[in-house]
Amino acid sequence: MSEKITMAKALNNGLRKSMEDDPKVVIMGEDVGKLGGVFRITDGLQKDFGEDRVIDTPLAESGIIGTAVGLAIRGYRPVCEIQFDGFVFPGFDQIVSQVAKMHTRSAGLVRIPITIRIPFGGGIGAVEHHSESPESYFAHAPGLKVVSCSNPSDAYWMIQQSIRSDDPVIFFEPKRRYWSKGEIEDAPLPLHRARVARAGTDVTVAAYGPMVTTALEAATVAADEGRDVEVLDLRSLSPLDMPTILESVQKTGRLIVVHEAWRSVSVSSEVAARVQEQAFYALEAPVLRVTGYDTQYPPSRLEEEWLPNVDRILDAVDRSLSY
Amino acid sequence: MSEKITMAKALNNGLRKSMEDDPKVVIMGEDVGKLGGVFRITDGLQKDFGEDRVIDTPLAESGIIGTAVGLAIRGYRPVCEIQFDGFVFPGFDQIVSQVAKMHTRSAGLVRIPITIRIPFGGGIGAVEHHSESPESYFAHAPGLKVVSCSNPSDAYWMIQQSIRSDDPVIFFEPKRRYWSKGEIEDAPLPLHRARVARAGTDVTVAAYGPMVTTALEAATVAADEGRDVEVLDLRSLSPLDMPTILESVQKTGRLIVVHEAWRSVSVSSEVAARVQEQAFYALEAPVLRVTGYDTQYPPSRLEEEWLPNVDRILDAVDRSLSY
Amino acid sequence: MSEHVNAVQPEPDMIQLLTPEGQRVEHPDYPLDITDDEIAALYRDLVLVRRIDTEAIALQRQGELGLWASLLGQEAAQIGAGRALRPHDMAFPSYREHGVAWCRGVDPLTLLGLFRGTNLGGFSPYEHNFNLYTIVIGAQTLHATGYAMGVVRDGAVGTGDPDRDTAVLAFFGDGASSQGDVNESFVFAAAGNLPVVFFCQNNQWAISEPVERQSRIPLFQRASGFGFPGVRIDGNDVLASLAVTRKALDDARNAQGPRLIEAFTYRMNAHTTSDDPTRYRLGAETETWKLRDPIARVKAYLVRNAQLPVDFFDDVEAESLRLAEHVRIGCRALPNPTPASPFDALFVDMPDEVREQRDEFVEFVASIEEAAEV
Amino acid sequence: MSEHVNAVQPEPDMIQLLTPEGQRVEHPDYPLDITDDEIAALYRDLVLVRRIDTEAIALQRQGELGLWASLLGQEAAQIGAGRALRPHDMAFPSYREHGVAWCRGVDPLTLLGLFRGTNLGGFSPYEHNFNLYTIVIGAQTLHATGYAMGVVRDGAVGTGDPDRDTAVLAFFGDGASSQGDVNESFVFAAAGNLPVVFFCQNNQWAISEPVERQSRIPLFQRASGFGFPGVRIDGNDVLASLAVTRKALDDARNAQGPRLIEAFTYRMNAHTTSDDPTRYRLGAETETWKLRDPIARVKAYLVRNAQLPVDFFDDVEAESLRLAEHVRIGCRALPNPTPASPFDALFVDMPDEVREQRDEFVEFVASIEEAAEV
Ligand SMILES: Cc1ncc(C[n+]2csc(CCOP(=O)(O)OP(=O)(O)O)c2C)c(N)n1
Ligand SMILES: Cc1ncc(C[n+]2csc(CCOP(=O)(O)OP(=O)(O)O)c2C)c(N)n1
Ligand SMILES: [Mg+2]
Ligand SMILES: [Mg+2]
């Protein structure tokens, strides 16, 4: 085990490693060069790898994704940075109609090994469009793989695995955890495997990205109250690691899914729908969800309450156990 | 009751009525003028209402939606036509970041009464991007209302209700049913109410848009086998009419959700998630789903099999009843 | 031969009516009939919006605002454009147009909610014919274009009646010029011959990216590719901004179609209070631009040429202090958002499922407040 | 003064090297050294791709294809451009570039799968350096631009080595010129000085919308707004298309940056076989354009000037009949998609959940086939 580093640094190290390992890896996006990105995730990379491999693009997300597709066809392995979650939508068409479909369209003859990095989620006191959780949109689209890291070690390994993936990966980074520290494990889990972040027997709380920390905090509080909460870090939102989820539910009989994203037609809807089907007799309570409400992301003075938090998770634990 | 007309004609009549009733209603899109749209839904409207009210726009979906937002701010009530389902994505940013958010952003002081018509779904032997079912993307976004009609009467009434709605409505038209005929009812249901399309006691099949007909066909076959299937036409995908859905599930204890859209993170995920939570003790079997598979929409020579059909629904009925 | 190419023009002509030294100069195409009192009024605007900006930055430092996007250096471009508008014209800002808001009569406090996190804008575009700030780069240019379509449909263009004919002014930045939406706006505006003026504040930077990352030719020339006139002005010259924008708006309202103005200016501060420009640009560049300060030249002109009341400059200074206090005190007094507000403002016609979530949330917030009180 | 406006030019100059009457004319900027045999080869191309088109329309009528997008009238633009490409250049078509595909050596049967519904394209862009058809309007221009970024990064531009230096050719239509993606391509290509040539077939119509709905100035002028050269050619003149595209590609590969070519041509048929143009355009217009037929003029030239084998025209005709038969028979023999194919081609690395759905689907299809056999 190594020293503790921040998630931001872990991502930066992971990107650097990928660029060293494969000369076809290029980083592209707004302000990724000298500035190192608004979150400094690409800090120093342009200096070390040059302007040809760390590309400050014009300000146009469709252009970023669309040219990445062309680079991929030419044999490159582009890593696109979307500056904030709310700014991915001008590139949405290129993502769902081109990135996601090109491999099928070519009967498998073209590979589009693009990684699209998106800092996501709230809790940083930002203005509109800077705190969104758009992962559900992408998890609906076949042809995309969607993952999110929750700690520095996963950040370090998962970004490299995503870049190495021959399939396109939408990589969600929990921006409010960028500065939290942790050690880097010696070896990674497979990219699309969920992880038991805390073993427990009474109820399962499944989360990902920024909410894993919150779920673990809730589990700690619950433990004081004599409730043994198992916390799953889903890590991969598409595909979902159903065996790991089902194993946990078989054990606890109760599941709560937590994310910041809006509730309706979201990743938690899908988890609930699958679990109630695949573990019908194991469930002692309905799958509950603790999520962002179905409103616009609120002004930051309200975000602490609006976001899923320990209180709301504990409340769901109570409700689940009361069935 | 009147004579039978096609859904295409019903929509055309509904649009005409809306334009007569309110001079602020304008229709805009690609080829909506002289051509009357590729499906002729706006046939004759430009001739009768002039080029100022039926606008052939430049070929740019973001432009269509974005200028519609401006027209709405100026007091107009734009009805945008997206030519085919697969072409809504260049306009996705304007829809989810502007159309959906403007009312909240202005603390409720601006209204965006835009209707976005999207012919959707497959089964017409078309090429790529012409057979998609993107409704789940929109049902995830707060600030949008999402509906779909399944028959000429609903088409006639729901399009008018959508246009009259002071909230933005994404209006999904089942293109493969455009030419199916039906009578126009004298009065409509409220826009966001589901409808019992066929009463039954053994199992509920909930569908919308093109799949309602298919569900009814399946119910007829099932009846021969002595199974009494209730068919719900959801009509409104956001908001969902949960009281009607729950009432049916309380009665039958079994629910199957059917749509052409991809399964993962879709409208059926949401229905399943809500029903298992809100009718946990009423369910005698898990909520099952009969949907498009999580692949790209296949080449048309495979679409008949790929799409949900009577066989697959009947199979789900069997599975549900076997619990 | 029909090959068209615009060579790179390193320093193309810019319309200038007031030199950095405060010299009034004439331009044949843009005669400007303006009294010294009117110039003094512009001076007051410039000073006051700079003061609002200074105060907002201070408030951000003190933790009262989450963020602020400074307009320092761009006052002239904004005040000139803002004062060129007629009351019934409509303006569509991006997120930095505090000076334009000022000219429209928007109380600066109204702008602070977004940056303080008490609302997402929260004002009506109709009150001052000034639209909400738009953060998604370029999106507002299409809204302006659509609004202009509405103006045409209302018959409020080219009638010759100045109280009826209406123009629309759309603001965007040099970075924004690369967005599809901005270019689609040009397409729609040109094809429809719409009464919209596109006002690009080329402040040389899009966060850390210099304008050369976006374009290899001056941005005003973009218009020529779409078939309407583009012009570059000295964006630090309030008189040029006023005269050229006024003419462009007049052209637009007289059914001459769209116009593009590129205001050549400079972002003197960081992109926002979150940004650190020392990582990507040299202090020397900023120093050079200080010599072209938009306020100093107006003051120089007034001192040298105008017969102003003796206390004029002191009065403006005093007024700016009062305004600062208004901003300072008012900001802290801005009401926090109620828990119900995101739900209440979601739809005109609230669905039951939203109402249920609202009630759950309101109750939840009340319960933690109660717990906190115990 | 720096006001720029392009007045509407009703009939701007077009580069033409062969008149509709079959007269060879010279253009100072585009000298074309071409033998009569080479022109004869172009004639053969033109005739053969027209035959492919005719045959495909017939197949659609017979229910063998779901749809077809006819290139009738646009053969010259496409063959000229296609023959200007070098083998290692890359072409990014839209969905109507059957003539370009032909020049790249793509078997016409390869194109039919998409329209027959047996696949979604299903071929490798690498085999002939010809990308898959792209239906979402404009998307491919960004792919071409990104590919050109890769070319630059590979050091395959401006080296002076003709076997190494590579250019990219991106096709789009007049309607597509309005899409954000196309304009963003211009931004990226200009800012990066990329070796990409944008080839716009202005066939006057985007389904039912005449080009005036998209632009009030000639489309080749769009490039000037982005700072690179644009040129209009007679799109019904295969020699102009060849010469101008060749030069543009050479410029691009010599690191001169992007180019825009507008081929002024006409869509003689319906938009696709699903379309009914009588609803929106007059037959007279089509009649006029018949006089500018791209094939007739080449034949006229050859008949008048070239020393061809006596059987030349008959041979081409015979070859076209054989090609038609190849298309006719081959189309019907195209393999239907297997049930597993949408699943197998979804990812390189198939997740279990996709595998499960695949197995379920394959089993389901087998079960109905069984049932049908019973
Ligand atoms: C679609 C989108 N992408 C990215 C951003 C993040 N962002 C905010 S401001 C900015 C730079 C804008 O530059 P410019 O248009 O020149 O305006 P300026 O800030 O200089 O006034 C960027 C990239 C955004 N707001 N919207
Ligand atoms: C994004 C998108 N919107 C709409 C369509 C539907 N559509 C197909 S072709 C076409 C017209 C294209 O016109 P143009 O670019 O001139 O090409 P042409 O068909 O004339 O070759 C339209 C609107 C589409 N394919 N993609
Ligand atoms: Mg800028
Ligand atoms: Mg065309």
Side-chain angles (χ1 to χ4, degrees):
Chain A
M1 291 267 172
S2 47
E3 45 154 3
K4 290 195 174 188
I5 60 173
T6 64
M7 181 183 293
K9 185 66 190 155
L11 287 164
N12 183 270
N13 289 351
L15 289 169
R16 177 178 293 278
K17 191 75 172 36
S18 294
M19 296 190 80
E20 284 165 358
D21 291 351
D22 183 348
K24 292 295 187 187
V25 172
V26 292
I27 288 178
M28 53 201 295
E30 296 154 8
D31 306 294
V32 296
K34 270 195 192 154
L35 185 62
V38 294
F39 292 108
R40 312 288 185 265
I41 306 302
T42 57
D43 191 26
L45 298 179
Q46 188 180 67
K47 196 168 130 277
D48 295 342
F49 294 95
E51 292 193 14
D52 258 13
R53 293 191 63 196
V54 180
I55 308 165
D56 271 335
T57 64
L59 204 175
E61 286 75 10
S62 193
I64 294 170
I65 309 294
T67 55
V69 169
L71 275 160
I73 295 176
R74 180 76 190 179
Y76 282 83
R77 209 168 264 276
V79 182
C80 303
E81 173 171 307
I82 297 293
Q83 198 160 78
F84 281 89
D85 33 62
F87 306 139
V88 68
F89 301 115
F92 198 73
D93 177 55
Q94 283 285 348
I95 297 176
V96 301
S97 298
Q98 304 298 331
V99 172
K101 296 191 174 182
M102 201 66 91
H103 189 65
T104 294
R105 190 176 294 148
S106 70
L109 298 167
V110 174
R111 295 180 174 195
I112 304 291
I114 294 177
T115 301
I116 301 175
R117 296 180 38 241
I118 308 181
F120 84 122
I124 62 160
V127 298
E128 236 197 338
H129 309 290
H130 290 73
S131 304
E132 313 233 322
S133 299
E135 63 273 18
S136 301
Y137 292 120
F138 300 97
H140 179 52
L144 301 177
K145 293 179 173 174
V146 184
V147 303
S148 181
C149 55
S150 72
N151 60 64
S153 185
D154 277 356
Y156 176 74
W157 289 114
M158 289 171 74
I159 189 64
Q160 294 181 65
Q161 292 169 313
S162 298
I163 294 170
R164 220 176 298 122
S165 164
D166 286 325
D167 297 308
V169 177
I170 317 292
F171 190 90
F172 282 98
E173 303 174 359
K175 66 169 91 81
R176 66 156 133 163
R177 308 291 181 204
Y178 272 150
W179 313 113
S180 67
K181 289 190 167 187
E183 287 171 355
I184 307 301
E185 310 272 337
D186 291 335
L189 274 185
L191 181 57
H192 298 290
R193 194 67 59 75
R195 183 173 60 89
V196 179
R198 182 192 201 280
T201 52
D202 294 346
V203 53
T204 304
V205 174
Y208 57 85
M211 283 293 108
V212 174
T213 303
T214 310
L216 287 169
E217 287 166 11
T220 306
V221 178
D224 291 345
E225 297 168 8
R227 281 156 182 189
D228 192 11
V229 174
E230 172 144 317
V231 176
L232 292 188
D233 182 351
L234 292 177
R235 292 169 24 106
S236 179
L237 311 181
S238 181
L240 282 166
D241 178 2
M242 286 312 294
T244 302
I245 297 170
L246 290 171
E247 192 183 328
S248 179
V249 172
Q250 297 291 354
K251 180 170 66 176
T252 63
R254 297 168 204 278
L255 175 63
I256 295 159
V257 191
V258 183
H259 56 56
E260 294 188 12
W262 303 312
R263 182 180 312 170
S264 287
V265 193
S266 66
V267 168
S268 66
S269 323
E270 182 61 25
V271 173
R274 290 200 200 176
V275 167
Q276 63 88 35
E277 179 173 351
Q278 295 171 33
F280 186 64
Y281 291 119
L283 280 177
E284 288 169 47
V287 181
L288 300 181
R289 299 189 280 162
V290 179
T291 67
Y293 294 93
D294 288 316
T295 69
Q296 305 314 335
Y297 193 88
S300 61
R301 298 242 158 183
L302 208 53
E303 69 181 342
E304 208 186 308
E305 292 79 18
W306 187 90
L307 286 168
N309 50 33
V310 169
D311 284 336
R312 282 175 60 200
I313 295 173
L314 290 175
D315 174 62
V317 168
D318 282 349
R319 281 190 290 131
S320 179
L321 285 166
S322 73
Y323 271 82
Chain B
M1 291 269 172
S2 47
E3 44 153 3
K4 290 195 174 188
I5 59 173
T6 64
M7 182 182 293
K9 184 67 190 157
L11 287 164
N12 183 270
N13 289 349
L15 289 168
R16 177 178 292 277
K17 190 75 172 37
S18 295
M19 297 193 78
E20 284 165 359
D21 290 351
D22 184 348
K24 292 295 186 187
V25 172
V26 292
I27 288 177
M28 53 201 294
E30 296 154 8
D31 307 294
V32 296
K34 269 195 192 153
L35 185 62
V38 294
F39 292 109
R40 311 290 185 266
I41 306 301
T42 57
D43 191 26
L45 298 178
Q46 188 180 68
K47 196 168 131 275
D48 295 343
F49 294 96
E51 293 193 13
D52 259 13
R53 294 192 62 197
V54 181
I55 307 165
D56 271 334
T57 64
L59 203 175
E61 286 75 11
S62 193
I64 293 170
I65 308 295
T67 56
V69 169
L71 275 160
I73 294 176
R74 179 76 190 180
Y76 282 82
R77 210 168 262 277
V79 182
C80 304
E81 174 171 307
I82 297 292
Q83 198 159 78
F84 281 89
D85 32 63
F87 307 138
V88 69
F89 301 115
F92 198 73
D93 177 55
Q94 283 284 348
I95 296 175
V96 300
S97 299
Q98 303 297 331
V99 172
K101 296 191 174 182
M102 201 65 92
H103 189 63
T104 294
R105 191 176 292 150
S106 70
L109 297 167
V110 174
R111 297 182 171 195
I112 304 292
I114 295 178
T115 302
I116 301 175
R117 297 180 38 241
I118 308 180
F120 85 123
I124 62 161
V127 298
E128 235 198 338
H129 309 290
H130 290 73
S131 303
E132 313 234 320
S133 299
E135 63 274 17
S136 301
Y137 292 120
F138 300 97
H140 179 52
L144 301 177
K145 294 179 173 174
V146 184
V147 304
S148 180
C149 55
S150 72
N151 60 64
S153 184
D154 277 356
Y156 175 75
W157 288 114
M158 289 171 74
I159 189 64
Q160 293 181 66
Q161 293 170 312
S162 298
I163 295 170
R164 220 176 297 122
S165 164
D166 285 325
D167 297 307
V169 177
I170 317 292
F171 190 91
F172 283 98
E173 303 173 0
K175 65 170 92 81
R176 66 156 133 162
R177 309 292 180 204
Y178 272 152
W179 313 113
S180 68
K181 288 190 167 186
E183 286 171 355
I184 307 301
E185 311 272 338
D186 291 334
L189 274 184
L191 182 57
H192 299 290
R193 195 67 60 75
R195 185 172 60 88
V196 179
R198 182 192 201 279
T201 52
D202 294 345
V203 52
T204 303
V205 174
Y208 56 86
M211 282 293 108
V212 174
T213 303
T214 311
L216 287 169
E217 286 166 11
T220 305
V221 178
D224 290 345
E225 297 168 7
R227 280 154 182 192
D228 192 11
V229 174
E230 172 145 316
V231 176
L232 291 188
D233 181 351
L234 293 177
R235 294 171 20 109
S236 179
L237 311 180
S238 180
L240 282 165
D241 179 2
M242 287 311 294
T244 301
I245 297 169
L246 290 171
E247 191 183 329
S248 179
V249 173
Q250 297 291 355
K251 181 170 65 177
T252 63
R254 298 168 202 276
L255 175 63
I256 295 158
V257 192
V258 183
H259 56 56
E260 294 188 12
W262 302 312
R263 183 181 311 171
S264 286
V265 194
S266 66
V267 169
S268 66
S269 323
E270 182 60 25
V271 173
R274 290 199 200 176
V275 167
Q276 64 88 34
E277 179 173 352
Q278 295 171 32
F280 186 63
Y281 292 119
L283 281 177
E284 288 169 45
V287 181
L288 300 181
R289 300 189 279 162
V290 180
T291 67
Y293 293 93
D294 288 315
T295 69
Q296 306 312 335
Y297 194 88
S300 61
R301 298 242 160 183
L302 207 54
E303 69 182 341
E304 207 186 309
E305 292 80 18
W306 187 91
L307 286 168
N309 50 33
V310 169
D311 285 335
R312 281 175 60 201
I313 295 173
L314 290 175
D315 174 62
V317 167
D318 283 349
R319 281 190 290 131
S320 179
L321 285 165
S322 73
Y323 269 83
Chain C
M1 230 302 274
S2 45
E3 187 153 330
H4 278 228
V5 59
N6 287 307
V8 179
Q9 292 171 264
E11 276 285 338
D13 295 324
M14 301 187 299
I15 313 287
Q16 196 183 64
L17 302 182
L18 187 67
T19 69
E21 296 73 32
Q23 213 73 46
R24 239 339 232 114
V25 286
E26 294 296 329
H27 191 288
D29 300 327
Y30 298 98
L32 181 65
D33 232 354
I34 192 167
T35 65
D36 286 347
D37 281 350
E38 286 166 334
I39 296 180
L42 293 172
Y43 174 81
R44 174 178 166 272
D45 287 337
L46 293 165
V47 169
L48 295 184
V49 301
R50 181 171 291 184
R51 174 62 70 164
I52 293 167
D53 195 67
T54 310
E55 201 53 43
I57 294 170
L59 284 165
Q60 194 278 336
R61 298 257 156 77
Q62 295 155 22
E64 297 296 334
L65 297 179
L67 187 83
W68 183 250
S70 168
L71 61 40
L72 193 73
Q74 302 177 220
E75 296 90 345
Q78 295 191 14
I79 296 298
R83 288 296 174 204
L85 286 160
R86 297 203 187 151
H88 56 286
D89 289 339
M90 183 76 185
F92 284 83
S94 182
Y95 46 78
R96 204 188 286 285
E97 281 69 40
H98 322 309
V100 182
W102 170 259
C103 297
R104 299 309 274 165
V106 178
D107 186 325
L109 291 177
T110 306
L111 305 176
L112 296 188
L114 176 68
F115 296 100
R116 184 169 167 85
T118 57
N119 60 37
L120 305 176
F123 62 88
S124 164
Y126 305 115
E127 209 177 333
H128 301 283
N129 280 333
F130 181 78
N131 195 54
L132 294 151
Y133 276 1
T134 300
I135 290 175
V136 180
I137 296 292
Q140 76 282 358
T141 60
L142 279 172
H143 307 163
T145 304
Y147 190 94
M149 288 170 67
V151 167
V152 170
R153 274 154 190 79
D154 290 341
V157 70
T159 71
D161 174 355
D163 292 331
R164 180 173 175 78
D165 289 342
T166 302
V168 183
L169 189 55
F171 291 89
F172 66 104
D174 45 295
S177 68
S178 296
Q179 279 285 7
D181 274 9
V182 172
N183 292 283
E184 291 188 9
S185 298
F186 296 165
V187 168
F188 277 66
N193 200 43
L194 300 176
V196 55
V197 175
F198 298 102
F199 194 100
C200 176
Q201 288 171 80
N202 174 3
N203 62 7
Q204 313 302 325
W205 293 92
I207 310 187
S208 74
E209 299 194 10
V211 61
E212 298 76 44
R213 282 268 162 282
Q214 318 291 339
S215 180
R216 59 185 198 182
I217 56 167
L219 284 172
F220 75 92
Q221 295 181 11
R222 179 70 56 83
S224 72
F226 296 83
F228 59 94
V231 58
R232 178 180 271 190
I233 64 168
D234 178 347
N236 287 15
D237 171 1
V238 69
L239 300 187
S241 182
L242 177 68
V244 174
T245 311
R246 194 179 271 167
K247 174 137 186 342
L249 290 170
D250 279 343
D251 289 349
R253 98 179 91 239
N254 292 328
Q256 303 295 298
R259 298 288 185 264
L260 171 63
I261 298 169
E262 178 194 0
F264 198 78
T265 179
Y266 195 78
R267 198 196 76 208
M268 296 298 290
N269 266 329
H271 169 69
T272 66
T273 47
S274 300
D275 179 39
D276 173 11
T278 64
R279 295 179 67 101
Y280 54 81
R281 72 183 189 189
L282 295 172
E285 185 179 292
T286 319
E287 290 307 313
T288 311
W289 276 90
K290 269 196 188 144
L291 305 176
R292 310 186 202 169
D293 184 68
I295 301 189
R297 67 177 77 180
V298 183
K299 186 163 189 177
Y301 170 86
L302 289 174
V303 167
R304 242 178 279 134
N305 304 287
Q307 310 286 351
L308 299 174
V310 272
D311 296 336
F312 174 74
F313 291 106
D314 289 345
D315 284 352
V316 170
E317 181 58 19
E319 188 180 358
S320 92
L321 292 178
R322 286 196 302 278
L323 182 60
E325 198 185 350
H326 169 68
V327 169
R328 206 158 46 234
I329 295 175
C331 173
R332 292 182 167 82
L334 287 173
N336 274 333
T338 66
S341 60
F343 303 85
D344 289 342
L346 186 59
F347 288 119
V348 178
D349 188 10
M350 187 189 286
D352 288 339
E353 61 184 51
V354 175
R355 184 169 291 111
E356 284 158 23
Q357 289 194 16
R358 178 188 68 178
D359 295 348
E360 177 197 316
F361 183 60
V362 169
E363 198 182 308
F364 165 70
V365 174
S367 77
I368 36 177
E369 275 166 8
E370 255 171 53
E373 276 163 23
V374 176
Chain D
M1 230 299 276
S2 48
E3 186 152 330
H4 278 228
V5 58
N6 288 305
V8 179
Q9 292 171 264
E11 275 287 336
D13 294 323
M14 302 186 299
I15 313 287
Q16 196 181 65
L17 302 182
L18 187 67
T19 70
E21 295 73 32
Q23 212 74 45
R24 231 355 222 106
V25 286
E26 294 296 329
H27 191 288
D29 299 326
Y30 298 98
L32 181 66
D33 231 354
I34 192 167
T35 65
D36 285 347
D37 280 351
E38 286 165 334
I39 296 181
L42 292 172
Y43 173 81
R44 173 179 167 273
D45 287 336
L46 292 166
V47 169
L48 295 185
V49 301
R50 182 170 290 183
R51 174 61 70 164
I52 294 167
D53 195 67
T54 310
E55 201 54 43
I57 294 170
L59 285 165
Q60 195 278 335
R61 297 257 158 76
Q62 295 155 22
E64 297 295 335
L65 297 179
L67 186 83
W68 183 251
S70 167
L71 60 43
L72 193 72
Q74 303 177 219
E75 296 90 347
Q78 295 190 14
I79 296 298
R83 288 296 174 204
L85 286 160
R86 296 201 189 153
H88 56 287
D89 290 338
M90 183 75 184
F92 284 83
S94 181
Y95 44 78
R96 203 188 286 284
E97 281 70 40
H98 322 310
V100 183
W102 170 258
C103 296
R104 299 308 274 165
V106 177
D107 185 326
L109 291 177
T110 305
L111 304 176
L112 295 188
L114 177 68
F115 296 100
R116 185 169 167 86
T118 57
N119 60 38
L120 306 176
F123 61 90
S124 165
Y126 305 114
E127 209 176 333
H128 302 282
N129 280 333
F130 181 77
N131 195 53
L132 294 151
Y133 276 0
T134 300
I135 290 175
V136 179
I137 295 293
Q140 75 283 357
T141 60
L142 280 172
H143 306 164
T145 304
Y147 190 94
M149 288 170 67
V151 167
V152 170
R153 274 155 189 78
D154 289 342
V157 70
T159 70
D161 174 354
D163 292 331
R164 179 172 176 80
D165 289 342
T166 302
V168 183
L169 189 55
F171 291 89
F172 66 103
D174 45 295
S177 68
S178 295
Q179 280 286 7
D181 274 9
V182 173
N183 292 283
E184 291 187 9
S185 298
F186 296 166
V187 168
F188 277 66
N193 200 43
L194 301 175
V196 54
V197 175
F198 298 103
F199 194 100
C200 175
Q201 288 171 79
N202 173 4
N203 62 9
Q204 313 301 325
W205 293 93
I207 308 187
S208 75
E209 300 193 10
V211 61
E212 297 78 44
R213 282 268 162 281
Q214 320 289 341
S215 181
R216 59 185 198 183
I217 56 167
L219 286 171
F220 75 92
Q221 295 181 11
R222 179 70 55 84
S224 72
F226 296 82
F228 59 93
V231 58
R232 179 180 270 189
I233 63 168
D234 178 347
N236 287 16
D237 171 2
V238 69
L239 299 187
S241 182
L242 176 68
V244 174
T245 310
R246 193 179 272 168
K247 173 136 185 347
L249 290 169
D250 278 342
D251 289 349
R253 97 179 91 239
N254 292 329
Q256 303 296 298
R259 298 289 185 262
L260 171 63
I261 298 169
E262 178 195 359
F264 198 78
T265 179
Y266 195 78
R267 197 195 76 208
M268 296 298 288
N269 266 329
H271 168 69
T272 65
T273 46
S274 300
D275 179 38
D276 173 11
T278 64
R279 295 179 67 101
Y280 55 80
R281 73 183 189 188
L282 296 172
E285 185 179 291
T286 319
E287 289 308 312
T288 311
W289 277 90
K290 269 197 189 143
L291 304 175
R292 310 186 201 168
D293 183 69
I295 301 189
R297 67 177 77 180
V298 183
K299 184 162 190 179
Y301 170 86
L302 290 173
V303 167
R304 243 179 280 134
N305 305 286
Q307 309 287 354
L308 299 173
V310 273
D311 296 336
F312 174 74
F313 292 106
D314 289 345
D315 284 352
V316 170
E317 179 60 19
E319 188 179 359
S320 92
L321 292 178
R322 286 195 302 279
L323 182 61
E325 198 185 350
H326 169 68
V327 169
R328 206 158 47 234
I329 294 175
C331 174
R332 291 183 167 82
L334 287 173
N336 274 334
T338 66
S341 59
F343 302 85
D344 288 342
L346 186 59
F347 289 118
V348 178
D349 186 11
M350 188 189 287
D352 287 340
E353 61 185 51
V354 175
R355 184 169 291 111
E356 283 158 24
Q357 289 194 17
R358 178 189 68 178
D359 294 348
E360 178 197 316
F361 182 60
V362 169
E363 198 182 308
F364 165 71
V365 174
S367 77
I368 37 177
E369 274 166 9
E370 256 171 53
E373 275 164 22
V374 176

